[in-house]
């Protein structure tokens, strides 16, 4: 028997390379379900490894500062590579292994998970011990802030829409009748309507309108804001006090060169006259003109803050006032025995007095108002006959006013 074992041990058969191929064909092949099951088991093992690594990383991130983040990323990549390698091992071994090998794969996955977690923890702890706490604060967070701020700068800025509160105002061009007030609304939305109460029984609408006040009084206007017929707001505006503008009219009368100007207004008004370059404040004014011409007469009446004025033109003709009789008696012994002009102010710049008979013959002339006619030819000749004679007087006063007067005189003897 021992010789037989020796012979067999020394025996070496001829090598056939096709033997393994034939043996592989004769072995039973795994079914579809077996292959699918092995695939599921391998995929689940890899998923468990990745999940375990993620849990460890998240756990360390909650306990440690942001310095653990780079380590966690490297551990994740290592764990993924390890899980990928483990998955390959499982898939290769599954082709020839028995069902018992399939059960051992989860243990290998659990082992990989246990290895990853302590490894991550040790690295994180070593980072905390070797690096100061200040170095772990702002590296990643500042980059994120810079990126976010740059994104905000690049984005277009939008101005928030502000809705202003509507405002209402009133203004007057004057405070006297007739006064025009302007009403303006600002900041009113397009779907709203403004209704104005002018305080005088009249109304208007729109964002801008006017009202004319023709009577004296105090008015309190208001503005109402409506939307869809519903009152949203009512605002009472400042009161407006309108005074009455006086009606101006005046007249005049004259006696010789003196004019009297007056007005029919009897209210408590203030008066201001402007006549011939002078001012007067009485209700009626007397004024004597010394030159002929057209004169503007102006009257201003004031009632409180309201005033009005009127101007009229007056044609003034200066009269040289003196009296000329129509008859005289030369032989009356000093009683109406001379003929000529009689007056108080006979101070003329130039004076000319002439008398003619009915035939046109000159019987008397004089350039002195104090020299009158005595009924003789040139006051030295023979006496003139009784009858009617014609006279003419020309005068120019010191202001340049000239006057010519004519008439007749009856010589009685």
């Amino acid at each position: 028997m021992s010789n037989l074992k020796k012979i067999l041990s020394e025996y070496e058969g001829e090598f056939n390379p096709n033997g393994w191929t034939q043996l592989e064909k004769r072995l039973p092949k795994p079914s579809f379900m077996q292959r699918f099951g092995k695939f599921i088991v391998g995929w689940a093992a890899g998923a468990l490894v990745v999940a375990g690594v993620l849990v460890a990383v998240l756990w360390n991130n909650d306990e440690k500062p942001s310095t653990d983040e780079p380590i966690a990323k490297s551990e994740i990549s290592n764990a993924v590579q390890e899980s990928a390698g483990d998955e390959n091992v499982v898939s290769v071994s599954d082709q020839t292994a028995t069902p018992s090998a399939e059960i051992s794969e989860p243990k290998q996955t659990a082992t990989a998970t246990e290895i990853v977690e302590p490894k991550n923890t040790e690295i994180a702890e070593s980072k905390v011990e070797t690096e100061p706490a200040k170095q772990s604060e702002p590296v990643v967070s500042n980059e994120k802030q810079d990126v976010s701020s740059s994104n905000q700068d690049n984005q277009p800025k939008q101005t928030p829409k502000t809705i202003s509160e509507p405002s209402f105002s009133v203004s007057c061009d004057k405070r006297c009748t007739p006064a025009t007030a302007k009403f303006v609304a600002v900041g009113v939305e397009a779907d709203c309507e403004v209704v104005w109460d002018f305080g005088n029984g009249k109304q208007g609408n729109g964002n801008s309108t006017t009202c004319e006040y023709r009577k004296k009084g105090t008015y309190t206007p208001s503005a109402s804001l409506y939307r869809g017929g519903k009152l949203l707001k009512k605002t009472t505006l400042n009161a407006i006090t309108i005074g009455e503008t006086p009606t101006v009219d005046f007249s005049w009368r004259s006696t010789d060169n003196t004019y009297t100007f007056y007005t029919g207004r009897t209210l408590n008004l203030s008066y201001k006259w402007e006549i011939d370059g002078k001012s007067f404040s009485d209700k009626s004014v007397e004024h004597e003109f010394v030159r002929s011409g057209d004169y503007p007469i102006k009257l201003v009446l004031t009632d409180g803050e309201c005033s009005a004025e009127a101007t009229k033109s007056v044609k003034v003709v200066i009269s040289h006032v003196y009296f000329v009789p129509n008859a005289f008696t030369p032989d009356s012994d000093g009683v109406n025995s001379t003929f000529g002009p009689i007056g108080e102010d006979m101070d003329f710049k130039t004076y000319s007095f002439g008398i003619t008979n009915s035939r046109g013959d000159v019987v008397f002339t004089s350039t002195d108002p104090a020299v009158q006619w005595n009924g003789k030819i040139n006051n030295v000749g023979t006496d003139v006959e009784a009858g009617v004679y014609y006279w003419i007087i020309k005068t120019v006063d010191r202001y340049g006013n000239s006057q010519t007067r004519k008439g007749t005189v009856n010589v009685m003897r």
Side-chain angles (χ1 to χ4, degrees):
M1 179 62 68
S2 60
N3 292 331
L4 181 59
K5 293 179 177 179
K6 182 178 179 182
I7 294 171
L8 292 174
S9 63
E10 295 176 356
Y11 176 80
E12 181 176 358
E14 183 179 359
F15 174 75
N16 185 3
N18 296 325
W20 290 107
T21 303
Q22 295 175 0
L23 179 61
E24 184 177 3
K25 291 181 179 180
R26 292 179 181 178
L27 290 176
K29 296 181 179 180
S31 63
F32 174 78
M33 294 302 296
Q34 289 177 346
R35 291 195 302 272
F36 182 75
K38 292 178 182 179
F39 175 77
I40 292 299
V41 171
W43 182 86
L48 289 173
V49 172
V50 174
V53 172
L54 291 175
V55 170
V57 171
L58 294 175
W59 179 266
N60 290 329
N61 284 338
D62 292 338
E63 294 181 352
K64 304 297 181 179
S66 60
T67 54
D68 295 339
E69 184 175 355
I71 301 175
K73 291 182 179 179
S74 62
E75 290 297 331
I76 292 173
S77 62
N78 293 333
V80 172
Q81 292 177 1
E82 290 177 2
S83 63
D86 293 340
E87 183 177 358
N88 294 332
V89 173
V90 173
S91 62
V92 174
S93 62
D94 286 343
Q95 295 179 358
T96 57
T98 59
S100 61
E102 296 175 2
I103 300 172
S104 64
E105 289 175 358
K107 294 181 180 180
Q108 185 178 0
T109 303
T111 304
T113 303
E114 293 174 358
I115 294 172
V116 170
E117 292 178 354
K119 184 177 181 181
N120 190 14
T121 305
E122 292 175 0
I123 294 173
E125 291 177 355
S126 64
K127 290 288 183 179
V128 174
E129 292 176 358
T130 57
E131 296 181 1
K134 293 183 179 179
Q135 296 178 357
S136 63
E137 292 179 356
V139 175
V140 177
S141 60
N142 284 342
E143 292 178 355
K144 293 180 179 179
Q145 292 177 0
D146 294 338
V147 172
S148 62
S149 62
S150 62
N151 292 334
Q152 292 177 359
D153 294 337
N154 294 330
Q155 293 179 356
K157 296 181 180 180
Q158 297 181 355
T159 304
K161 183 179 180 181
T162 58
I163 301 176
S164 59
E165 184 73 14
S167 60
F168 310 95
S169 62
V170 57
S171 60
C172 286
D173 57 348
K174 59 180 181 178
R175 296 286 180 171
C176 305
T177 58
T180 300
K182 184 176 182 180
F183 298 84
V184 177
V186 178
V188 178
E189 298 183 7
D191 58 345
C192 294
E193 181 184 9
V194 180
V195 177
W196 304 90
D197 185 349
F198 301 134
N200 60 350
K202 298 180 181 180
Q203 291 184 340
N205 54 10
N207 292 344
S208 178
T209 186
T210 59
C211 176
E212 186 178 60
Y213 296 92
R214 293 183 172 273
K215 294 183 179 180
K216 177 181 179 180
T218 300
Y219 304 91
T220 304
S222 63
S224 299
L225 185 65
Y226 290 88
R227 176 185 283 129
K230 182 180 179 180
L231 178 63
L232 301 180
K233 180 180 181 181
K234 183 176 181 180
T235 302
T236 301
L237 305 179
N238 295 331
I240 304 173
T241 300
I242 305 298
E244 182 180 2
T245 301
T247 301
V248 184
D249 191 19
F250 63 90
S251 302
W252 64 88
R253 60 180 177 268
S254 64
T255 302
D256 296 332
N257 299 331
T258 301
Y259 284 72
T260 301
F261 299 93
Y262 57 94
T263 177
R265 296 299 303 271
T266 58
L267 299 178
N268 187 19
L269 303 174
S270 62
Y271 306 87
K272 182 179 179 181
W273 298 89
E274 293 183 6
I275 304 172
D276 195 15
K278 299 178 181 180
S279 296
F280 307 90
S281 59
D282 297 330
K283 183 178 179 180
S284 61
V285 177
E286 289 186 357
H287 179 69
E288 181 181 4
F289 293 93
V290 295
R291 291 182 178 89
S292 300
D294 294 330
Y295 289 86
I297 310 300
K298 181 178 180 181
L299 173 62
V300 180
L301 297 181
T302 303
D303 181 8
E305 297 181 357
C306 302
S307 62
E309 64 181 48
T311 302
K312 296 182 179 182
S313 180
V314 177
K315 185 176 182 61
V316 176
V317 178
I318 301 299
S319 297
H320 295 160
V321 181
Y322 50 84
F323 172 73
V324 180
N326 59 4
F328 81 104
T329 57
D331 300 328
S332 60
D333 297 330
V335 178
N336 193 22
S337 61
T338 59
F339 172 75
I342 302 171
E344 296 180 356
D345 187 8
M346 301 294 287
D347 185 15
F348 298 110
K349 184 176 182 181
T350 62
Y351 174 81
S352 174
F353 182 27
I355 302 173
T356 62
N357 57 22
S358 59
R359 297 185 299 271
D361 299 329
V362 176
V363 295
F364 177 80
T365 61
S366 174
T367 57
D368 186 357
V371 178
Q372 295 187 344
W373 184 37
N374 60 9
K376 297 180 181 293
I377 296 176
N378 289 326
N379 283 352
V380 292
T382 60
D383 295 333
V384 297
E385 297 177 356
V388 176
Y389 291 82
Y390 300 90
W391 61 265
I392 182 171
I393 301 175
K394 296 181 179 180
T395 56
V396 177
D397 61 19
R398 62 180 179 273
Y399 302 107
N401 300 304
S402 62
Q403 178 177 283
T404 299
R405 295 180 62 178
K406 297 178 181 181
T408 61
V409 60
N410 190 10
V411 176
M412 302 176 65
R413 289 192 181 274

